[in-house]
C-alpha cells in the first residue's frame, strides 16, 4: 500500500519537472530519488533486450517499474506504445530510454567504421554519424552503442571493422567526429542521439585476435594507446560509455574500480552514464572472479557501473543486498542519478514522446539526402592500393567488360556487419553501379565465378565459365572479399586470406592475361600479397553500405578520384602480426629468416589517379621553447592529369629519450585538394602538446633535445627534418 501513497504528489512533481526540464536538474533528481523504492531504483538501471514475442511480459514489467531502458526496440509506433505504459501506468511515470546498435547507419547504411576512418575526412565522418542519428531518432531511438573507439593492431580480431584502426591519434579524431555527429549540438532536440563510447577499455587487445580473449596489457599501453580516443570522445561530450567484455590487469572491466572510478571519473573527468556490455555483470561469475550473482552484482555496482545490460541480476538481487547492508545505498543512488540525468538530457522528462513521430520517420529514413551522404562517405572511404600502367580510371566507352566474382551482384554483404535495420533490397550492387555509369554501347558480361562463403573447393565449373567470359572482355572487374559475417563480433580470422575458392578464381582469371581490376569488399586488413600480384589494379572498397555499388563505379570510372588512406597496416604475411607503423626503436634491424618484416601496404598508404609531389620540409625555426611553437611547411604540387585530394600526414619522432619511443607517431594531418599543375603550401603548427610522452613512472612530461618531423603521403614515405626543444 505504501508504494501508492505518493501518486498525487508525484503527478504534480513530474508535471513540474516537465515545465522546467533544464533547470535545477539535480534538485529534481533528488526529489525523485527520495520517493523511489529500492525496487524502482534497481528498475531504473535495468536495461533489457526487447523481443516482440515478449511484448506483453515486457509491458507488465515496465508497469511495475522494473525496466529503465530497452535495447533492440525500434520504430516510432512500437516505442510510443511502450513509452505510454511507462509514462501512464508506472507508479512514478518515469519515461523509458531506447537504445540501439546504430553502428554505421540505421536504415541508410554507411561504410563500416574502419572504412569511414580510411577517408581521414572528419567532416564526412561527422556527417555520416549525423545521418545515422537523424534516422534512428526518427525511429524512436535515443542512444546508440557507438562509436567503438578500441584501437586494434591485430586484424584477426573481427571487431577491427567497427573501430578506426591502429593509431591513437587518428582514432581520437574519429572518436570526436563521430560523437559530435551523433549528438549534434545537443541531444535534447529530438533529432540527435546520445553516443555510448565503447568498450572501456582495451578490448582491442584481444589475445591472438580471438574475441573476448584476455590479454594482460601494460598500464603504458592503457595510457598511450587505449585511453586517448576515449578521452577525445569525453572531451567531445559523449553522454555515455560502455564497459568492455575483457579485463584490465586481470580484473574484468565491469568490476574494475581502478578503471571505472580512478581512471574514468577522477582522471578523465567523465560525468555521464556507464552501461555494461551484454551480461558483463553475470559474466563475472563465468569469468571466475566471484561465486554467485549476488557477489557479481555487488562487485559491479561498487566498481562504478550505472546500467546493467541484459543480465537482470542487479534488479533481482540488488534491493536485498542494500537492505542487508552488503552494498552502500549511495552506490545505487549514484547509478540512478546518472541514468535519470541522461533521460533529462535527452528531453524525455520534458516530452517523453518527442522521438516518436511517424511522419518524420517516413520522411527521414532512406531519404534522398541521406543516400547522397552515404554515397559521399563511401566514395571517400575507398583506398586505391595498386594501379599499374594507370589502368584506372576506366573509360565509359570500353567495348566489353566482364564483371566476375561472388560479390559482383551481392547486396547483403555490402552492408557489412552491424547493419541495424538495413535491408539488402535497398543496396546497390557493384554490377548495378557499373550499369548505372557505363555508356550504352558497352557490353557487360557476368559470372559469379565461385561461392563467397565456402572453404570447400567445389567451384571449378563456375570458374571455367568465368574464364570463358573473361577471354571475351577488354577489361575484367573482379569482386572478391569477405562475407559480412566473417567480420564483427566473434568473427576472428586466423589466416587473413579470402577463401581458397576465391583465391583460385583470382589466379585463374589472371592466367587469361587480361587487365584485371580487383575490387575488394572486406572489413579488415587481409593478406593480399598474391591477390595484388594477380591484378593490374586493386581497390580496397571495404564493406561500403547501401550506396556501395554506385560509389565503387564512380571511383572505377573516374567520377571520383580515390583519396582514402589506410587507417591500419596491411601485413604481407599473417606471421607478421601485430604489424603496425609506430614500432619502438630496437638495437638493430632484424626481420624473419623466412619472410620480410615489411608490410604489404603501410599505415596511411593510398594512391590517387593523379601524382602529388612533396617539397622538402621547411621549419620556421630550428629551435623551439617549451612555451613556443614552430611551423613546419611543405609545398604540395599536383603533377598529374586529374584533380585530386591528398591526405598530408605529419609524424614526430623523439630519437633520444629516457624511455624507448616509437620511431614515429602521427600527430597531425590535412586534406588538400589540388587541380592539375596546382601547388599549395601546407602548414602545420607544432607545440608542446605534440611532444609529450609518459615517462618511466607514467607521468606525462616532455624532455628537451632533438625531435624529428616527418611529412609525407603515408607512414613510410616521408621527408624529414629535425629541431631542438630547449629546456
Ligand atoms: C557488444 C556491444 C553491443 C552489445 C549490444 C555486445 O555483444 O559487445 O558492442 O553494443 O552487444 O548489442
Amino acid at each position: 500500500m505504501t508504494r501508492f501513497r505518493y501518486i498525487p504528489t508525484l503527478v504534480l512533481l513530474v508535471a513540474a519537472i516537465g515545465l522546467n526540464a533544464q533547470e535545477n536538474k539535480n534538485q529534481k533528481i533528488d526529489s525523485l530519488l527520495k520517493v523511489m523504492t529500492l525496487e524502482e531504483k534497481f528498475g531504473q538501471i535495468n536495461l533489457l533486450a526487447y523481443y516482440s514475442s515478449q511484448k506483453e511480459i515486457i509491458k507488465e514489467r515496465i508497469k511495475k517499474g522494473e525496466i529503465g531502458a530497452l535495447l533492440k526496440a525500434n520504430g516510432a509506433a512500437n516505442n510510443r506504445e511502450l513509452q505510454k505504459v511507462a509514462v501512464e501506468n508506472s507508479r512514478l511515470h518515469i519515461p523509458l530510454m531506447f537504445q540501439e546498435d546504430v553502428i554505421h547507419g540505421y536504415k541508410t547504411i554507411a561504410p563500416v567504421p574502419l572504412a569511414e576512418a580510411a577517408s581521414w575526412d572528419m567532416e564526412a565522418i561527422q556527417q555520416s554519424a549525423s545521418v545515422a542519428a537523424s534516422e534512428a531518432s526518427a525511429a524512436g531511438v535515443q542512444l546508440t552503442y557507438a562509436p567503438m573507439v578500441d584501437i586494434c593492431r591485430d586484424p584477426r580480431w573481427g571487431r577491427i571493422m567497427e573501430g578506426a584502426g591502429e593509431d591513437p591519434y587518428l582514432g581520437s579524431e574519429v572518436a570526436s567526429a563521430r560523437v559530435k555527429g551523433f549528438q549534434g549540438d545537443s541531444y535534447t532536440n529530438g533529432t540527435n542521439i546520445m553516443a555510448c563510447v565503447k568498450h572501456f577499455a582495451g578490448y582491442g587487445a584481444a589475445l591472438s585476435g580471438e574475441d573476448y580473449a584476455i590479454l594482460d596489457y601494460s598500464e603504458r599501453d592503457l595510457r598511450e594507446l587505449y585511453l586517448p580516443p576515449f578521452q577525445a570522445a569525453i572531451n567531445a561530450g559523449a553522454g555515455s560509455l560502455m564497459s568492455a567484455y575483457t579485463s584490465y590487469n586481470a580484473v574484468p572491466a565491469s568490476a574494475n574500480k581502478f578503471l571505472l572510478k580512478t581512471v574514468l571519473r577522477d582522471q578523465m573527468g567523465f560525468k555521464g552514464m556507464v552501461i555494461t556490455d551484454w551480461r558483463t555483470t553475470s559474466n563475472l561469475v563465468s569469468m571466475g572472479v566471484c561465486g554467485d550473482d549476488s557477489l557479481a552484482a555487488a562487485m559491479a555496482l561498487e566498481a562504478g557501473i550505472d546500467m546493467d545490460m541484459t543480465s537482470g541480476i542487479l534488479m533481482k538481487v540488488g534491493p536485498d543486498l542494500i537492505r542487508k547492508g552488503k552494498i552502500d545505498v549511495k552506490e545505487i543512488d549514484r547509478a540512478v542519478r546518472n541514468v535519470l540525468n541522461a533521460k533529462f538530457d535527452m528531453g524525455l522528462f520534458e516530452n517523453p514522446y518527442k522521438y516518436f513521430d511517424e511522419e518524420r520517420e517516413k520522411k527521414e529514413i532512406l531519404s534522398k539526402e541521406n543516400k547522397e551522404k552515404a554515397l559521399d562517405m563511401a566514395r571517400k572511404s575507398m583506398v586505391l592500393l595498386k594501379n599499374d600502367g594507370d589502368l584506372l580510371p576506366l573509360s565509359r566507352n570500353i567495348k566489353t567488360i566482364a564483371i566476375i566474382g561472388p560479390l559482383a551482384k551481392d547486396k547483403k554483404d555490402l552492408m557489412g556487419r552491424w547493419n541495424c535495420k538495413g535491408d539488402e533490397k535497398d543496396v546497390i550492387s557493384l554490377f548495378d553501379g557499373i550499369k548505372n555509369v557505363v555508356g550504352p554501347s558497352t557490353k557487360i558480361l557476368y559470372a559469379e565465378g565461385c561461392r563467397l562463403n565456402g572453404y570447400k573447393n567445389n567451384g571449378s565449373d563456375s570458374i571455367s565459365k568465368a574464364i570463358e567470359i573473361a577471354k571475351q572482355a577488354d577489361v575484367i572487374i573482379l569482386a572478391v572479399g569477405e562475407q559480412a559475417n566473417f567480420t564483427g563480433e566473434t568473427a576472428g580470422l586466423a589466416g587473413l586470406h579470402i577463401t581458397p575458392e576465391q583465391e583460385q578464381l583470382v589466379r585463374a582469371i589472371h592466367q587469361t592475361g587480361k587487365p584485371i581490376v580487383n575490387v575488394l569488399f572486406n572489413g579488415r586488413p587481409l593478406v593480399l600479397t598474391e591477390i595484388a600480384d594477380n591484378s593490374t589494379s586493386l581497390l580496397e572498397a571495404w564493406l561500403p553500405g547501401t550506396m556501395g555499388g554506385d560509389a565503387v563505379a564512380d571511383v572505377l570510372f573516374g567520377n571520383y578520384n580515390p583519396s582514402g588512406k589506410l587507417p591500419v597496416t596491411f601485413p604481407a604475411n599473417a606471421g607478421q602480426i601485430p604489424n603496425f607503423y609506430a614500432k619502438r626503436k630496437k638495437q638493430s634491424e632484424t626481420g624473419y629468416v623466412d619472410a620480410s618484416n615489411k608490410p604489404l601496404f603501410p599505415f596511411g598508404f593510398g594512391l590517387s589517379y593523379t601524382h602529388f609531389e612533396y617539397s622538402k620540409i621547411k621549419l620556421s625555426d630550428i629551435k623551439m621553447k617549451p612555451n613556443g611553437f614552430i611551423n613546419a611547411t611543405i609545398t604540395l604540387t599536383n603533377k598529374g592529369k586529374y584533380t585530386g585530394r591528398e591526405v598530408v600526414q605529419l609524424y614526430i619522432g623523439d630519437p633520444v629519450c629516457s624511455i624507448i619511443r616509437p620511431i614515429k607517431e602521427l600527430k597531425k594531418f590535412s586534406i588538400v585538394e589540388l587541380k592539375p599543375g596546382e601547388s599549395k603550401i601546407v602548414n602545420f603548427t607544432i607545440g608542446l602538446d605534440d611532444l609529450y610522452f609518459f615517462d618511466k613512472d607514467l607521468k606525462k612530461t616532455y624532455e628537451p633535445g632533438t625531435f624529428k618531423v616527418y611529412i609525407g603521403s603515408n607512414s613510410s614515405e616521408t621527408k624529414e627534418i629535425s629541431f631542438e626543444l630547449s629546456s
Side-chain angles (χ1 to χ4, degrees), residues 266-289:
D266 303 345
Q267 297 172 355
M268 298 175 80
F270 181 65
K271 303 233 170 350
M273 169 176 65
V274 174
I275 308 177
T276 70
D277 203 342
W278 193 280
R279 293 197 187 147
T280 55
T281 47
S282 51
N283 283 354
L284 298 176
V285 180
S286 43
M287 288 169 106
V289 292

PDB file of all heavy atoms in Angstrom, residues 266-289:
ATOM      1  N   ASP A 266      37.871  10.083 -12.009  1.00  0.00           N
ATOM      2  CA  ASP A 266      38.778  11.044 -11.366  1.00  0.00           C
ATOM      3  C   ASP A 266      39.792  11.618 -12.350  1.00  0.00           C
ATOM      4  O   ASP A 266      40.058  12.808 -12.337  1.00  0.00           O
ATOM      5  CB  ASP A 266      39.545  10.396 -10.195  1.00  0.00           C
ATOM      6  CG  ASP A 266      38.590   9.803  -9.162  1.00  0.00           C
ATOM      7  OD1 ASP A 266      37.384  10.149  -9.219  1.00  0.00           O
ATOM      8  OD2 ASP A 266      39.039   9.003  -8.322  1.00  0.00           O
ATOM      9  N   GLN A 267      40.357  10.741 -13.195  1.00  0.00           N
ATOM     10  CA  GLN A 267      41.436  11.258 -14.054  1.00  0.00           C
ATOM     11  C   GLN A 267      40.930  11.785 -15.391  1.00  0.00           C
ATOM     12  O   GLN A 267      41.425  12.773 -15.902  1.00  0.00           O
ATOM     13  CB  GLN A 267      42.484  10.162 -14.285  1.00  0.00           C
ATOM     14  CG  GLN A 267      43.166   9.742 -12.989  1.00  0.00           C
ATOM     15  CD  GLN A 267      44.073   8.529 -13.152  1.00  0.00           C
ATOM     16  OE1 GLN A 267      44.156   7.911 -14.208  1.00  0.00           O
ATOM     17  NE2 GLN A 267      44.754   8.169 -12.080  1.00  0.00           N
ATOM     18  N   MET A 268      39.931  11.104 -15.958  1.00  0.00           N
ATOM     19  CA  MET A 268      39.490  11.533 -17.294  1.00  0.00           C
ATOM     20  C   MET A 268      38.300  12.484 -17.237  1.00  0.00           C
ATOM     21  O   MET A 268      37.914  13.062 -18.252  1.00  0.00           O
ATOM     22  CB  MET A 268      39.160  10.297 -18.147  1.00  0.00           C
ATOM     23  CG  MET A 268      40.356   9.399 -18.367  1.00  0.00           C
ATOM     24  SD  MET A 268      39.955   7.880 -19.244  1.00  0.00           S
ATOM     25  CE  MET A 268      39.891   8.432 -20.938  1.00  0.00           C
ATOM     26  N   GLY A 269      37.693  12.617 -16.079  1.00  0.00           N
ATOM     27  CA  GLY A 269      36.630  13.610 -15.910  1.00  0.00           C
ATOM     28  C   GLY A 269      35.301  13.234 -16.535  1.00  0.00           C
ATOM     29  O   GLY A 269      34.491  14.111 -16.862  1.00  0.00           O
ATOM     30  N   PHE A 270      35.034  11.944 -16.706  1.00  0.00           N
ATOM     31  CA  PHE A 270      33.759  11.538 -17.319  1.00  0.00           C
ATOM     32  C   PHE A 270      32.607  11.721 -16.336  1.00  0.00           C
ATOM     33  O   PHE A 270      32.685  11.288 -15.191  1.00  0.00           O
ATOM     34  CB  PHE A 270      33.848  10.072 -17.771  1.00  0.00           C
ATOM     35  CG  PHE A 270      32.591   9.574 -18.433  1.00  0.00           C
ATOM     36  CD1 PHE A 270      32.174  10.121 -19.642  1.00  0.00           C
ATOM     37  CD2 PHE A 270      31.822   8.576 -17.857  1.00  0.00           C
ATOM     38  CE1 PHE A 270      31.012   9.681 -20.263  1.00  0.00           C
ATOM     39  CE2 PHE A 270      30.663   8.119 -18.462  1.00  0.00           C
ATOM     40  CZ  PHE A 270      30.260   8.676 -19.668  1.00  0.00           C
ATOM     41  N   LYS A 271      31.524  12.358 -16.812  1.00  0.00           N
ATOM     42  CA  LYS A 271      30.411  12.636 -15.908  1.00  0.00           C
ATOM     43  C   LYS A 271      29.142  11.897 -16.307  1.00  0.00           C
ATOM     44  O   LYS A 271      28.101  12.032 -15.665  1.00  0.00           O
ATOM     45  CB  LYS A 271      30.109  14.134 -15.928  1.00  0.00           C
ATOM     46  CG  LYS A 271      31.268  15.035 -15.559  1.00  0.00           C
ATOM     47  CD  LYS A 271      30.880  16.001 -14.458  1.00  0.00           C
ATOM     48  CE  LYS A 271      32.006  16.792 -13.855  1.00  0.00           C
ATOM     49  NZ  LYS A 271      33.369  16.475 -14.170  1.00  0.00           N
ATOM     50  N   GLY A 272      29.203  11.153 -17.398  1.00  0.00           N
ATOM     51  CA  GLY A 272      27.972  10.556 -17.939  1.00  0.00           C
ATOM     52  C   GLY A 272      27.621   9.209 -17.320  1.00  0.00           C
ATOM     53  O   GLY A 272      27.996   8.895 -16.189  1.00  0.00           O
ATOM     54  N   MET A 273      26.905   8.403 -18.103  1.00  0.00           N
ATOM     55  CA  MET A 273      26.338   7.136 -17.615  1.00  0.00           C
ATOM     56  C   MET A 273      27.201   5.965 -18.126  1.00  0.00           C
ATOM     57  O   MET A 273      27.524   5.903 -19.311  1.00  0.00           O
ATOM     58  CB  MET A 273      24.915   7.062 -18.182  1.00  0.00           C
ATOM     59  CG  MET A 273      24.212   5.750 -18.049  1.00  0.00           C
ATOM     60  SD  MET A 273      22.491   5.875 -18.655  1.00  0.00           S
ATOM     61  CE  MET A 273      22.712   6.197 -20.386  1.00  0.00           C
ATOM     62  N   VAL A 274      27.522   5.044 -17.219  1.00  0.00           N
ATOM     63  CA  VAL A 274      28.319   3.872 -17.606  1.00  0.00           C
ATOM     64  C   VAL A 274      27.393   2.659 -17.759  1.00  0.00           C
ATOM     65  O   VAL A 274      26.746   2.231 -16.797  1.00  0.00           O
ATOM     66  CB  VAL A 274      29.410   3.561 -16.560  1.00  0.00           C
ATOM     67  CG1 VAL A 274      30.138   2.266 -16.896  1.00  0.00           C
ATOM     68  CG2 VAL A 274      30.404   4.710 -16.473  1.00  0.00           C
ATOM     69  N   ILE A 275      27.333   2.137 -18.966  1.00  0.00           N
ATOM     70  CA  ILE A 275      26.485   0.964 -19.245  1.00  0.00           C
ATOM     71  C   ILE A 275      27.414  -0.241 -19.362  1.00  0.00           C
ATOM     72  O   ILE A 275      28.506  -0.127 -19.929  1.00  0.00           O
ATOM     73  CB  ILE A 275      25.726   1.170 -20.582  1.00  0.00           C
ATOM     74  CG1 ILE A 275      24.994   2.507 -20.581  1.00  0.00           C
ATOM     75  CG2 ILE A 275      24.769   0.031 -20.859  1.00  0.00           C
ATOM     76  CD1 ILE A 275      24.283   2.835 -21.895  1.00  0.00           C
ATOM     77  N   THR A 276      26.986  -1.372 -18.854  1.00  0.00           N
ATOM     78  CA  THR A 276      27.832  -2.557 -19.025  1.00  0.00           C
ATOM     79  C   THR A 276      27.635  -3.082 -20.440  1.00  0.00           C
ATOM     80  O   THR A 276      26.687  -2.700 -21.121  1.00  0.00           O
ATOM     81  CB  THR A 276      27.441  -3.719 -18.080  1.00  0.00           C
ATOM     82  OG1 THR A 276      26.170  -4.251 -18.516  1.00  0.00           O
ATOM     83  CG2 THR A 276      27.349  -3.263 -16.648  1.00  0.00           C
ATOM     84  N   ASP A 277      28.502  -3.969 -20.885  1.00  0.00           N
ATOM     85  CA  ASP A 277      28.208  -4.696 -22.118  1.00  0.00           C
ATOM     86  C   ASP A 277      27.273  -5.856 -21.746  1.00  0.00           C
ATOM     87  O   ASP A 277      26.962  -6.085 -20.576  1.00  0.00           O
ATOM     88  CB  ASP A 277      29.490  -5.172 -22.803  1.00  0.00           C
ATOM     89  CG  ASP A 277      29.259  -5.416 -24.302  1.00  0.00           C
ATOM     90  OD1 ASP A 277      28.091  -5.552 -24.717  1.00  0.00           O
ATOM     91  OD2 ASP A 277      30.245  -5.481 -25.063  1.00  0.00           O
ATOM     92  N   TRP A 278      26.842  -6.577 -22.745  1.00  0.00           N
ATOM     93  CA  TRP A 278      25.844  -7.641 -22.625  1.00  0.00           C
ATOM     94  C   TRP A 278      26.234  -8.641 -21.516  1.00  0.00           C
ATOM     95  O   TRP A 278      27.204  -9.373 -21.670  1.00  0.00           O
ATOM     96  CB  TRP A 278      25.746  -8.334 -23.982  1.00  0.00           C
ATOM     97  CG  TRP A 278      24.587  -9.243 -24.194  1.00  0.00           C
ATOM     98  CD1 TRP A 278      24.462 -10.524 -23.764  1.00  0.00           C
ATOM     99  CD2 TRP A 278      23.399  -8.935 -24.929  1.00  0.00           C
ATOM    100  NE1 TRP A 278      23.263 -11.043 -24.181  1.00  0.00           N
ATOM    101  CE2 TRP A 278      22.582 -10.084 -24.906  1.00  0.00           C
ATOM    102  CE3 TRP A 278      22.922  -7.804 -25.610  1.00  0.00           C
ATOM    103  CZ2 TRP A 278      21.332 -10.143 -25.540  1.00  0.00           C
ATOM    104  CZ3 TRP A 278      21.689  -7.865 -26.230  1.00  0.00           C
ATOM    105  CH2 TRP A 278      20.915  -9.024 -26.182  1.00  0.00           C
ATOM    106  N   ARG A 279      25.487  -8.589 -20.435  1.00  0.00           N
ATOM    107  CA  ARG A 279      25.685  -9.502 -19.297  1.00  0.00           C
ATOM    108  C   ARG A 279      27.092  -9.486 -18.702  1.00  0.00           C
ATOM    109  O   ARG A 279      27.563 -10.509 -18.178  1.00  0.00           O
ATOM    110  CB  ARG A 279      25.389 -10.951 -19.704  1.00  0.00           C
ATOM    111  CG  ARG A 279      23.959 -11.139 -20.006  1.00  0.00           C
ATOM    112  CD  ARG A 279      23.599 -12.609 -20.004  1.00  0.00           C
ATOM    113  NE  ARG A 279      22.231 -12.698 -20.463  1.00  0.00           N
ATOM    114  CZ  ARG A 279      21.721 -13.681 -21.165  1.00  0.00           C
ATOM    115  NH1 ARG A 279      22.475 -14.697 -21.486  1.00  0.00           N
ATOM    116  NH2 ARG A 279      20.470 -13.658 -21.530  1.00  0.00           N
ATOM    117  N   THR A 280      27.797  -8.385 -18.789  1.00  0.00           N
ATOM    118  CA  THR A 280      29.152  -8.422 -18.213  1.00  0.00           C
ATOM    119  C   THR A 280      29.097  -8.443 -16.695  1.00  0.00           C
ATOM    120  O   THR A 280      30.120  -8.663 -16.049  1.00  0.00           O
ATOM    121  CB  THR A 280      30.050  -7.261 -18.694  1.00  0.00           C
ATOM    122  OG1 THR A 280      29.383  -6.038 -18.429  1.00  0.00           O
ATOM    123  CG2 THR A 280      30.367  -7.362 -20.151  1.00  0.00           C
ATOM    124  N   THR A 281      27.900  -8.246 -16.108  1.00  0.00           N
ATOM    125  CA  THR A 281      27.809  -8.394 -14.648  1.00  0.00           C
ATOM    126  C   THR A 281      27.739  -9.880 -14.293  1.00  0.00           C
ATOM    127  O   THR A 281      28.574 -10.377 -13.543  1.00  0.00           O
ATOM    128  CB  THR A 281      26.574  -7.649 -14.110  1.00  0.00           C
ATOM    129  OG1 THR A 281      25.456  -7.984 -14.931  1.00  0.00           O
ATOM    130  CG2 THR A 281      26.775  -6.153 -14.128  1.00  0.00           C
ATOM    131  N   SER A 282      26.794 -10.603 -14.918  1.00  0.00           N
ATOM    132  CA  SER A 282      26.732 -12.033 -14.586  1.00  0.00           C
ATOM    133  C   SER A 282      27.956 -12.782 -15.119  1.00  0.00           C
ATOM    134  O   SER A 282      28.334 -13.840 -14.602  1.00  0.00           O
ATOM    135  CB  SER A 282      25.429 -12.662 -15.079  1.00  0.00           C
ATOM    136  OG  SER A 282      25.226 -12.362 -16.422  1.00  0.00           O
ATOM    137  N   ASN A 283      28.595 -12.194 -16.146  1.00  0.00           N
ATOM    138  CA  ASN A 283      29.836 -12.817 -16.638  1.00  0.00           C
ATOM    139  C   ASN A 283      30.924 -12.884 -15.573  1.00  0.00           C
ATOM    140  O   ASN A 283      31.863 -13.674 -15.687  1.00  0.00           O
ATOM    141  CB  ASN A 283      30.430 -12.007 -17.803  1.00  0.00           C
ATOM    142  CG  ASN A 283      29.700 -12.248 -19.102  1.00  0.00           C
ATOM    143  OD1 ASN A 283      28.816 -13.100 -19.171  1.00  0.00           O
ATOM    144  ND2 ASN A 283      30.053 -11.485 -20.121  1.00  0.00           N
ATOM    145  N   LEU A 284      30.799 -12.045 -14.550  1.00  0.00           N
ATOM    146  CA  LEU A 284      31.837 -12.074 -13.500  1.00  0.00           C
ATOM    147  C   LEU A 284      31.881 -13.456 -12.868  1.00  0.00           C
ATOM    148  O   LEU A 284      32.936 -13.917 -12.423  1.00  0.00           O
ATOM    149  CB  LEU A 284      31.559 -10.997 -12.440  1.00  0.00           C
ATOM    150  CG  LEU A 284      31.583  -9.551 -12.950  1.00  0.00           C
ATOM    151  CD1 LEU A 284      31.199  -8.581 -11.842  1.00  0.00           C
ATOM    152  CD2 LEU A 284      32.960  -9.208 -13.516  1.00  0.00           C
ATOM    153  N   VAL A 285      30.723 -14.124 -12.851  1.00  0.00           N
ATOM    154  CA  VAL A 285      30.683 -15.494 -12.323  1.00  0.00           C
ATOM    155  C   VAL A 285      31.341 -16.438 -13.337  1.00  0.00           C
ATOM    156  O   VAL A 285      32.230 -17.228 -12.986  1.00  0.00           O
ATOM    157  CB  VAL A 285      29.233 -15.927 -12.009  1.00  0.00           C
ATOM    158  CG1 VAL A 285      29.203 -17.352 -11.464  1.00  0.00           C
ATOM    159  CG2 VAL A 285      28.555 -14.946 -11.055  1.00  0.00           C
ATOM    160  N   SER A 286      30.950 -16.307 -14.631  1.00  0.00           N
ATOM    161  CA  SER A 286      31.552 -17.252 -15.599  1.00  0.00           C
ATOM    162  C   SER A 286      33.047 -16.987 -15.786  1.00  0.00           C
ATOM    163  O   SER A 286      33.798 -17.890 -16.140  1.00  0.00           O
ATOM    164  CB  SER A 286      30.811 -17.232 -16.935  1.00  0.00           C
ATOM    165  OG  SER A 286      30.525 -15.923 -17.310  1.00  0.00           O
ATOM    166  N   MET A 287      33.491 -15.761 -15.524  1.00  0.00           N
ATOM    167  CA  MET A 287      34.936 -15.483 -15.642  1.00  0.00           C
ATOM    168  C   MET A 287      35.677 -15.919 -14.382  1.00  0.00           C
ATOM    169  O   MET A 287      36.906 -15.839 -14.315  1.00  0.00           O
ATOM    170  CB  MET A 287      35.178 -13.993 -15.905  1.00  0.00           C
ATOM    171  CG  MET A 287      34.777 -13.578 -17.316  1.00  0.00           C
ATOM    172  SD  MET A 287      34.775 -11.780 -17.486  1.00  0.00           S
ATOM    173  CE  MET A 287      36.245 -11.519 -18.442  1.00  0.00           C
ATOM    174  N   GLY A 288      34.930 -16.316 -13.381  1.00  0.00           N
ATOM    175  CA  GLY A 288      35.555 -16.898 -12.198  1.00  0.00           C
ATOM    176  C   GLY A 288      36.105 -15.901 -11.194  1.00  0.00           C
ATOM    177  O   GLY A 288      36.962 -16.262 -10.390  1.00  0.00           O
ATOM    178  N   VAL A 289      35.612 -14.660 -11.208  1.00  0.00           N
ATOM    179  CA  VAL A 289      36.118 -13.739 -10.178  1.00  0.00           C
ATOM    180  C   VAL A 289      35.181 -13.648  -8.976  1.00  0.00           C
ATOM    181  O   VAL A 289      35.476 -12.980  -7.996  1.00  0.00           O
ATOM    182  CB  VAL A 289      36.418 -12.311 -10.711  1.00  0.00           C
ATOM    183  CG1 VAL A 289      37.591 -12.322 -11.653  1.00  0.00           C
ATOM    184  CG2 VAL A 289      35.192 -11.690 -11.369  1.00  0.00           C
TER     185      VAL A 289
END
